[in-house]
Amino acid sequence: MTPVELSRTVLRAVRRAVDVGELSVSVPVSVGVGPPGPGGCGDYATNVALRLAGPAGLPALDVAEILRPHIGDEPGVAEVTVTGPGFLNITLGGGAAAALVDEVLTRGERYGYGDSLAGQVVELRVPYDTRAEVVADTLVRIVATQGGRAEVRHGEPVNLRPVPAPEDPAPLGADAARWALLYPASHDRPRISADHLLQRESNPLFRVRYAHARCRALRRNAGALGFGVRMGGDVRAGGEVRDDGDPAGRLDDTARQGADLLSVLAEYPHTLRLAAAHRAPDRLARHLVGVADSLLLFQHLVLPLGDEKPSAAHRARLALAEAAGTVLAGGLSLLGISAPEYL
């Protein structure tokens, strides 16, 4: 992980702490990381807690303790220690990328499920409106991912009233209609337009579904070249592969090239928790766009080029792409949208 990537990691940790209400500050545009100073430890250190202490109205040490577990949850981070007046010292570790990918592939589309709403019954009272019905239907599934149970009722008092669509979205077809209603935040008016049907990069729905189809194509193409994913002893496509290193170690190498993709995959469980807690399926839709965009940038590194022979490094990259495809399929399913194998 480079200092620039680590800086983005720290910013994501700050954003998560703000999202869950642990800090009340504006997320800075950038943070500095560098070698630890006297009394420090680890590979890098940051003074972000000292910078945020004033705006947060808290001692820097308290801010550092709030941020420490959020940074420690990031892939590639082995340990976070607080020293001095509130410096966060970060030790990078091996195996984190492999552990994350293995977890996604092991749990499949249930990756990200948790118990933050375990035993809770969430009552959704909605008006008789198409968009409200679709949002509520989606929230039933999202709330269930966190162990809760959502019950949809009609009538007053209404507690879920997204801005209605200006026109009937049905002519767009089921998938595009649902995306048009779910992608905007509830307080935003949805745009009902044939743009949702365009197979162009400007269409977020197309990018998400195309990225999923690309993941499946990479698996098929890798199988044709004679190699597949081997995680935890499981071979997901047949064939031989030149073993030039441990797959977990190769995933750590891959982490440098796929840092953004690993980060959005690691963020997915947090996104599901927020979507359930805030009754906001748009958070999930937007996160899937981030996964898709990161995958589409990474995909060109997965398969061997020219006369290059498949190696453990290629298998590791394929595993990361497989994990991305799993998250995309699971997220689209929660939104009630199909995830095509071909597009």
Side-chain angles (χ1 to χ4, degrees):
M1 187 182 297
T2 68
V4 172
E5 292 165 349
L6 184 56
S7 176
R8 292 199 294 264
T9 294
V10 174
L11 281 175
R12 283 192 297 272
V14 173
R15 191 171 295 111
R16 279 202 299 274
V18 170
D19 284 345
V20 299
E22 294 175 334
L23 285 178
S24 180
V25 296
S26 297
V27 179
V29 176
S30 63
V31 297
V33 297
C41 58
D43 299 305
Y44 294 96
T46 177
N47 67 347
V48 64
L50 284 79
R51 286 180 54 189
L52 296 179
L58 295 170
L61 281 173
D62 289 355
V63 176
E65 287 298 337
I66 289 171
L67 295 177
R68 183 172 61 82
H70 290 293
I71 298 173
D73 286 343
E74 287 283 341
V77 175
E79 185 179 8
V80 182
T81 305
V82 179
T83 60
F87 291 102
L88 285 155
N89 298 260
I90 303 168
T91 301
L92 304 180
L100 171 62
V101 172
D102 199 22
E103 180 183 3
V104 177
L105 296 180
T106 298
R107 298 194 64 186
E109 292 187 13
R110 293 185 63 83
Y111 168 66
Y113 285 31
D115 58 3
S116 62
L117 297 178
Q120 296 187 35
V121 177
V122 177
E123 189 173 276
L124 303 174
R125 288 191 170 271
V126 300
Y128 288 97
D129 170 74
T130 300
R131 188 183 186 199
E133 298 275 5
V134 170
V135 170
D137 171 72
T138 304
L139 285 174
V140 168
R141 288 186 291 275
I142 293 177
V143 168
T145 71
Q146 302 306 306
R149 178 166 60 88
E151 296 182 348
V152 181
R153 304 184 189 280
H154 295 88
E156 300 295 338
V158 170
N159 63 7
L160 183 68
R161 192 193 296 271
V163 175
E167 57 189 281
D168 183 9
L172 297 177
D175 288 336
R178 292 187 71 91
W179 182 268
L181 298 176
L182 295 171
Y183 182 66
S186 289
H187 58 266
D188 291 332
R189 183 177 295 277
R191 181 174 52 86
I192 307 303
S193 164
D195 289 349
H196 293 296
L197 302 175
L198 296 177
Q199 296 195 14
R200 295 179 182 172
E201 290 186 3
S202 59
N203 178 4
L205 174 59
F206 170 71
R207 295 206 305 277
V208 171
R209 299 175 85 220
Y210 176 68
H212 176 266
R214 285 298 305 147
C215 292
R216 299 303 177 242
L218 289 170
R219 177 203 292 172
R220 292 192 298 270
N221 293 340
L225 292 173
F227 74 100
V229 175
R230 184 189 298 273
M231 295 294 293
D234 175 33
V235 181
R236 296 176 181 261
E240 297 297 325
V241 62
R242 179 168 56 86
D243 190 2
D244 60 354
D246 174 66
R250 290 298 172 183
L251 268 169
D252 289 332
D253 292 340
T254 298
R256 291 194 297 272
Q257 301 162 313
D260 287 340
L261 183 53
L262 282 163
S263 294
V264 290
L265 295 183
E267 191 78 8
Y268 182 69
H270 178 66
T271 298
L272 284 184
R273 288 194 296 272
L274 289 179
H278 296 285
R279 320 294 187 253
D282 57 287
R283 289 177 179 262
L284 172 57
R286 289 196 298 272
H287 189 81
L288 294 182
V289 175
V291 174
D293 289 345
S294 295
L295 181 278
L296 291 174
L297 289 174
F298 176 76
Q299 62 169 327
H300 308 291
L301 303 175
V302 174
L303 299 177
L305 299 176
D307 295 332
E308 189 179 10
K309 298 295 184 182
S311 67
H314 294 111
R315 191 167 61 206
R317 296 171 198 156
L318 180 63
L320 179 52
E322 282 269 327
T326 299
V327 167
L328 290 170
L332 285 170
S333 177
L334 290 173
L335 295 176
I337 297 173
S338 64
E341 296 276 326
Y342 299 86
L343 192 64

